[in-house]
Amino acid sequence: MSNNSILLIDPNFDPANSANLSLLVKIGADTFSYVIIDQERKFVHAVYDEQECEDGYEKLKERLKNDTYLNLKYETVKIATHTQNVVYVPQELFNENEIALYTKFFADADSQNIYVQPSLQQNIYTVFSLPYSIEKIVNHNWQQSIKLEQNAGLLELAVQFDKETLIIDFTVGSFQFVYIKNNNIAFNQNYQFEDTEELTYFILLIVNQLNINMKQVAVNVCGIINDGDNKWSLLTQYFDKVEILTLVSDLDTTILDDMPAHYYTSLLALQTCG
């Protein structure tokens, strides 16, 4: 494993039992992670996370060659991945019979399959496809897998908020941004940044474009951010209400006891998707 990766395994994990377990994989532009869960016992057996990848898709290919846990047979598999081919459609504008209206905004033209992912709130539909080369790899390894867009976990977490709220999920060099207003997801986007200056630029740009009141909006953060670091200092400089967002669930996450609980909030939230 690289210096930017971590693998946490329950010492009692039995790979021979994988056919009764669930695998959740999240592929970002610059990250790759997965979790192995026993859904019946509500138990997390393993978490793998790698930050600062040059390419999340290439990391998937590499891990499939070298990672025995990733190659086990699982009862269910969910793959949440970043893609340039994605459009978020409000419910009132969505028509399942006219999907082609949305795919014309895709960045790539080599898509084979179009996926439509509704949120729990049913107020936004994510229409997306995977690059053909990646979809081919995913289908070869996990024929019955459920495909999700990268932010699927965050969109499900948004259900719990009934006030104006920002959810920001950080990696080392990127962030996923969800804006909830009037009980609806008003904005959802991903950004990569080189340094704190560029991060500041993106945050202030979004706030200005969406006319967000920084004194009133609640900001919930998760992922790679810690109280007192540069990201935290930036947010608390501009926003009055900044809190850490952890997943509220009945999962036994004992193997994560030595890690900040919010690092894997959006990854673990994938269990509620699909």
Side-chain angles (χ1 to χ4, degrees):
M1 294 191 295
S2 75
N3 293 331
N4 298 325
S5 66
I6 184 170
L7 175 63
L8 304 170
I9 294 283
D10 168 38
N12 297 316
F13 174 56
D14 181 6
N17 188 45
S18 67
N20 299 312
L21 307 177
S22 297
L23 173 69
L24 312 178
V25 180
K26 185 178 180 183
I27 307 166
D30 59 348
T31 60
F32 178 83
S33 56
Y34 68 77
V35 58
I36 301 170
I37 297 177
D38 185 327
Q39 297 284 11
E40 183 175 343
R41 294 176 52 220
K42 302 297 182 183
F43 190 87
V44 176
H45 283 286
V47 172
Y48 176 86
D49 181 54
E50 184 161 352
Q51 297 285 315
E52 299 181 273
C53 306
E54 289 189 10
D55 186 309
Y57 291 145
E58 291 301 317
K59 185 56 60 175
L60 167 66
K61 298 176 186 178
E62 176 189 314
R63 297 310 305 168
L64 283 170
K65 292 179 181 178
N66 303 316
D67 191 327
T68 56
Y69 297 114
L70 203 57
N71 283 283
L72 297 173
K73 300 298 181 182
Y74 293 95
E75 182 177 25
T76 59
V77 178
K78 296 179 183 179
I79 311 289
T81 178
H82 84 95
T83 174
Q84 297 299 313
N85 298 337
V86 58
V87 177
Y88 304 103
V89 186
Q91 180 186 26
E92 59 270 20
L93 300 178
F94 181 75
N95 186 337
E96 63 181 5
N97 298 317
E98 298 185 2
I99 299 299
L101 289 176
Y102 317 120
T103 59
K104 67 181 181 181
F105 297 105
F106 284 1
D108 301 320
D110 66 344
S111 306
Q112 295 295 303
N113 295 299
I114 308 301
Y115 302 98
V116 178
Q117 168 192 306
S119 69
L120 284 177
Q121 296 170 307
Q122 298 295 318
N123 64 3
I124 189 170
Y125 287 80
T126 304
V127 181
F128 69 100
S129 69
L130 306 182
Y132 174 68
S133 60
I134 298 304
E135 184 168 44
K136 186 176 180 180
I137 292 171
V138 169
N139 288 337
H140 175 74
N141 289 276
W142 302 293
Q143 292 183 354
Q144 303 301 318
S145 61
I146 296 172
K147 282 83 170 178
L148 302 166
E149 199 271 332
Q150 178 184 0
N151 285 356
L154 291 185
L155 297 187
E156 300 309 334
L157 288 173
V159 173
Q160 65 185 279
F161 298 103
D162 57 5
K163 297 180 180 179
E164 188 175 14
T165 303
L166 304 181
I167 301 177
I168 308 177
D169 182 22
F170 285 100
T171 72
V172 170
S174 67
F175 67 96
Q176 289 74 56
F177 188 102
V178 178
Y179 176 41
I180 300 122
K181 185 177 182 181
N182 298 326
N183 293 332
N184 291 318
I185 298 169
F187 183 77
N188 172 32
Q189 194 55 266
N190 306 325
Y191 300 87
Q192 289 182 270
F193 60 91
E194 292 291 336
D195 50 33
T196 304
E197 181 178 353
E198 190 170 23
L199 173 59
T200 304
Y201 167 79
F202 281 129
I203 294 293
L204 295 181
L205 177 65
I206 297 167
V207 166
N208 289 331
Q209 287 184 335
L210 299 179
N211 196 27
I212 296 172
N213 187 322
M214 292 187 286
K215 300 295 183 182
Q216 295 182 1
V217 70
V219 182
N220 288 265
V221 296
C222 58
I224 310 303
I225 181 172
N226 295 291
D227 190 346
D229 68 11
N230 289 340
K231 297 171 186 173
W232 182 268
S233 297
L234 163 63
L235 294 177
T236 54
Q237 176 183 349
Y238 289 103
F239 298 96
D240 283 3
K241 306 172 185 177
V242 183
E243 295 183 358
I244 294 293
L245 175 64
T246 56
L247 182 68
V248 178
S249 77
D250 54 359
L251 282 177
D252 184 335
T253 58
T254 302
I255 66 168
L256 298 176
D257 282 352
D258 293 332
M259 301 293 293
H262 62 279
Y263 274 18
Y264 308 109
T265 296
S266 61
L267 174 64
L268 292 171
L270 292 176
Q271 66 168 323
T272 65
C273 303

